[in-house]
Amino acid sequence: MTGAELKKLRQHLGEAIGQPLSVADMAKLCGLPASDGADTIRRWEVTGPTGPVAELLRILAMASDRYPILEMFNVFDRHDVPVKDRPARRQVLESPDGDRAA
């Protein structure tokens, strides 16, 4: 993802929710710290985010009708979920009440 693509994504997500997203809003949406998150987004809008951040932003992009739903969107076997925790997450998401079975 390039910086220009990230800037366009911020615009499109704003359209999806019906109000413009500031760089501070985007930083909050990305879970960045309030102290310097907006500066990080500004920097990424020039240089482009790298590696895992770009992949996570592609997932976030699915909130806008302008981006396709990813074909290989696996919520269970994500890189940021330790392998040992994946079966428990799968069980929680698959249980009817959304709560981990005892």
Side-chain angles (χ1 to χ4, degrees):
M1 175 176 285
T2 67
E5 289 170 334
L6 174 58
K7 195 169 192 173
K8 189 60 88 174
L9 172 60
R10 181 165 57 91
Q11 176 188 353
H12 291 159
L13 290 174
E15 291 170 2
I17 63 170
Q19 66 182 44
L21 283 177
S22 69
V23 289
D25 294 333
M26 189 69 173
K28 187 183 231 181
L29 188 63
C30 292
L32 296 172
S35 60
D36 64 350
D39 290 336
T40 300
I41 296 294
R42 283 186 200 93
R43 188 171 51 254
W44 287 346
E45 286 186 349
V46 173
T47 64
T50 59
V53 173
E55 289 306 309
L56 291 173
L57 287 168
R58 282 187 179 81
I59 294 168
L60 183 61
M62 292 187 297
S64 169
D65 290 338
R66 295 178 182 252
Y67 299 87
I69 302 297
L70 300 174
E71 289 181 29
M72 298 297 293
F73 181 63
N74 182 337
V75 297
F76 302 112
D77 300 324
R78 298 191 33 82
H79 66 87
D80 58 343
V81 176
V83 173
K84 66 179 179 61
D85 295 341
R86 292 175 185 176
R89 287 221 178 166
R90 185 180 302 268
Q91 185 178 8
V92 167
L93 292 173
E94 291 176 347
S95 70
D97 60 359
D99 199 7
R100 183 179 287 168

